[in-house]
Amino acid sequence: SMFPVHFDEYTNTLTIRTNPVPWVITGLKQAAAVKYMAEQANKGRRELSAAEILGAVYGTQQHGRSRRMRDLFKSNSQWQSYITSNEKGHWRIIT
């Protein structure tokens, strides 16, 4: 595709054109966050606030909600190869 990132929602796999290793995401909430980030990146919105991403994942759910992106991804050792944050707490897929 012409997009630098692609998220396959059937296999929960993120493929980045510049990264030879696809990221298969097992956690459903983690996958939802990355899917949202990929969709927004492909609309030209590469950097998103943690609040926006977590809002897209959890909606109005309060119970069992990760308060920080690091909490959401803490069980996944690979995430730092694929997403990063700047000093303002905005997150993006590494392309």
Side-chain angles (χ1 to χ4, degrees), residues 3 15-17 60 73 77 95:
F3 295 123
T15 305
I16 302 172
R17 198 188 301 161
T60 57
F73 285 97
S77 60
T95 54

Side-chain angles (χ1 to χ4, degrees), residues 5-7 14 33-43 93:
V5 299
H6 175 73
F7 186 80
L14 178 72
V34 175
K35 177 186 176 188
Y36 182 77
M37 292 177 73
E39 287 171 346
Q40 295 304 311
N42 286 329
K43 292 176 183 173
I93 295 171

